[in-house]
Amino acid sequence: MSALFEPYTLRDVTIPNRAWMPPMCQYSAAPDGPLTGAPTDWHFTHYAARATGGAGLVIVEATAVSPEGRISPYDLGIWNDTQVEAFRRITRFLAEQGSVPAVQLAHAGRKASTDRPWAGGAPVGPEAHGWQPVAPSAVPFDADHPVPAELTKDGIREVVGQFADAARRALAAGFEIAEIHGAHGYLIGNFLSPHSNHRTDEYGGSHENRTRFALEVVDAVREVWPDDKPLFFRISATDWLERDGWTADDTVRFARELHAHGVDLLDVSTGGNASGVRIPVGPGYQVPFAARVKAETPMPVAAVGLITEAEQAEKILANGEADAVLVGRELLRNPSWARQAARALGGEVRVPEQYHRSV
């Protein structure tokens, strides 16, 4: 049997295969009005296509736990019940197609309040639906970003509560798996890295202090997320800095801690917290970071990073480098990538009856 098309069970949720769709922002929600942050017809069509195409797990893009937690004014959110109702249409359809619906809960931190990438991605102010970003320290992402407001301890507690509230709503919306976004230079990653966290209180300095906020979020979400449903955590395994950044060694240590706090799988990416760094991008370039976590900790892992070919994905799993693969850009190009990979590898995926002539 193809390793890519073996089912995978975490807690009481069985994912039918290991070809998964990662969270990829669409920047297509309304920026204001009663439907702010709610998924639209675009989102339904986008995610439905990947489910009918055979992806075993579909992780909905970064979904903000508060209005201020969005990357852009056009991001999804799950801070109110109107958004919950709109998500139900998506989760119901994904489940009907045999895909497991998951959602990434996020807060953008110091990289919040920016325009859509195709409009330049620059920071935006109130005149363009923008707001004041927050962070662990008053340190901007780069010279083009504003200085973020440093979160007070009360502010930190408020955000922890927002993650828990978002998890409750995600459950009500029909999601089977929740993922906490701790990667790519957003708020949780800001706290983890000494590059962006210059605090001198119990949330800064040592590894224990810099990971405190992340673990408080995990504990708050795990408390409200059912015991029979998995919890994922996405991490940037390295800042790609020579010094004074988050490292692969930090990630291995933290993976053990996350596992002890009830996280079921680490979604291993890299970068995004420091501007101007050189990243050696190439096929599977982030897989070694996932492989190291899998080899040195009890934490299951999913690998990402220019995984585009069926044989490449199969080899990663067969070699024991990861437990699943997240196929991003290729799924944007080809919504039926999983179905075509199954044909190439001799695996099986559910094919909608309406598409039976394609088998």
Side-chain angles (χ1 to χ4, degrees), residues 272-317:
N273 195 46
S275 65
V277 297
R278 286 187 150 188
I279 300 177
V281 176
Y285 71 104
Q286 297 178 130
V287 173
F289 296 96
R292 184 176 170 195
V293 172
K294 183 168 174 58
E296 298 182 26
T297 80
M299 177 73 81
V301 297
V304 305
L306 290 183
I307 299 169
T308 60
E309 304 295 333
E311 295 77 9
Q312 176 194 15
E314 180 77 8
K315 184 177 179 181
I316 290 167
L317 299 177

Side-chain angles (χ1 to χ4, degrees), residues 6-92:
E6 289 182 358
Y8 189 57
T9 299
L10 290 166
R11 297 191 185 242
D12 289 350
V13 175
T14 297
I15 304 165
N17 62 55
R18 302 175 191 228
W20 299 352
M21 180 181 182
M24 294 178 284
C25 289
Q26 298 297 292
Y27 305 102
S28 297
D32 59 6
L35 296 178
T36 300
T40 64
D41 286 347
W42 174 267
H43 297 95
F44 178 85
T45 303
H46 173 64
Y47 291 112
R50 279 72 193 175
T52 58
L57 177 72
V58 174
I59 308 179
V60 170
E61 65 204 75
T63 300
V65 300
S66 69
E68 299 77 22
R70 293 172 292 170
I71 303 165
S72 83
Y74 305 93
D75 281 18
L76 292 180
I78 196 162
W79 64 80
N80 65 44
D81 293 340
T82 298
Q83 295 158 346
V84 169
E85 187 59 35
F87 275 119
R88 285 195 183 114
R89 180 187 177 209
I90 294 174
T91 60
R92 184 165 52 245

Side-chain angles (χ1 to χ4, degrees), residues 4 9 21 58 83 102 104 138 167 201 216 226 229 238 261 269 297 299 351:
L4 187 60
T9 299
M21 180 181 182
V58 174
Q83 295 158 346
Q104 185 183 70
D201 62 6
E216 287 179 352
K229 296 187 185 300
T238 177
H261 282 255
S269 187
T297 80
M299 177 73 81
V351 178

Side-chain angles (χ1 to χ4, degrees), residues 30-282:
D32 59 6
L35 296 178
T36 300
T40 64
D41 286 347
W42 174 267
H43 297 95
F44 178 85
T45 303
H46 173 64
Y47 291 112
R50 279 72 193 175
T52 58
L57 177 72
V58 174
I59 308 179
V60 170
E61 65 204 75
T63 300
V65 300
S66 69
E68 299 77 22
R70 293 172 292 170
I71 303 165
S72 83
Y74 305 93
D75 281 18
L76 292 180
I78 196 162
W79 64 80
N80 65 44
D81 293 340
T82 298
Q83 295 158 346
V84 169
E85 187 59 35
F87 275 119
R88 285 195 183 114
R89 180 187 177 209
I90 294 174
T91 60
R92 184 165 52 245
F93 186 84
L94 297 185
E96 288 171 354
Q97 304 313 307
S99 294
V100 174
V103 64
Q104 185 183 70
L105 305 178
H107 192 299
R110 67 178 184 170
K111 293 171 74 173
S113 190
T114 59
D115 209 342
R116 292 175 286 194
W118 54 84
V124 296
E127 73 287 350
H129 310 292
W131 59 92
Q132 169 67 57
V134 298
S137 304
V139 180
F141 174 65
D142 60 21
D144 296 326
H145 280 69
V147 176
E150 182 172 309
L151 277 169
T152 64
K153 292 179 185 178
D154 285 343
I156 291 172
R157 284 190 287 271
E158 181 179 7
V159 175
V160 171
Q162 289 168 345
F163 269 94
D165 290 342
R168 290 190 189 94
R169 289 193 171 95
L171 182 65
F175 290 104
E176 290 291 315
I177 295 174
E179 175 173 275
I180 295 170
H181 198 353
H184 301 158
Y186 300 127
L187 185 63
I188 292 176
N190 297 161
F191 272 89
L192 293 177
S193 174
H195 177 74
S196 47
N197 184 347
H198 298 178
R199 297 178 75 100
T200 58
D201 62 6
E202 65 267 35
Y203 289 96
S206 67
H207 175 95
E208 179 182 9
N209 285 356
R210 286 183 284 106
T211 59
R212 187 182 308 277
F213 172 64
L215 293 177
E216 287 179 352
V217 169
V218 167
D219 289 345
V221 170
R222 189 73 267 182
E223 185 175 351
V224 302
W225 195 246
D227 287 342
D228 61 348
K229 296 187 185 300
L231 178 63
F232 292 4
F233 190 99
R234 184 164 233 197
I235 195 165
S236 285
T238 177
D239 285 339
W240 295 103
L241 294 169
E242 293 184 3
R243 56 185 178 183
D244 299 328
W246 183 263
T247 69
D249 289 342
D250 293 322
T251 296
V252 169
R253 176 180 175 182
F254 189 45
R256 298 188 187 104
E257 295 161 358
L258 288 170
H259 189 263
H261 282 255
V263 170
D264 300 289
L265 180 139
L266 195 64
D267 174 356
V268 185
S269 187
T270 65
N273 195 46
S275 65
V277 297
R278 286 187 150 188
I279 300 177
V281 176

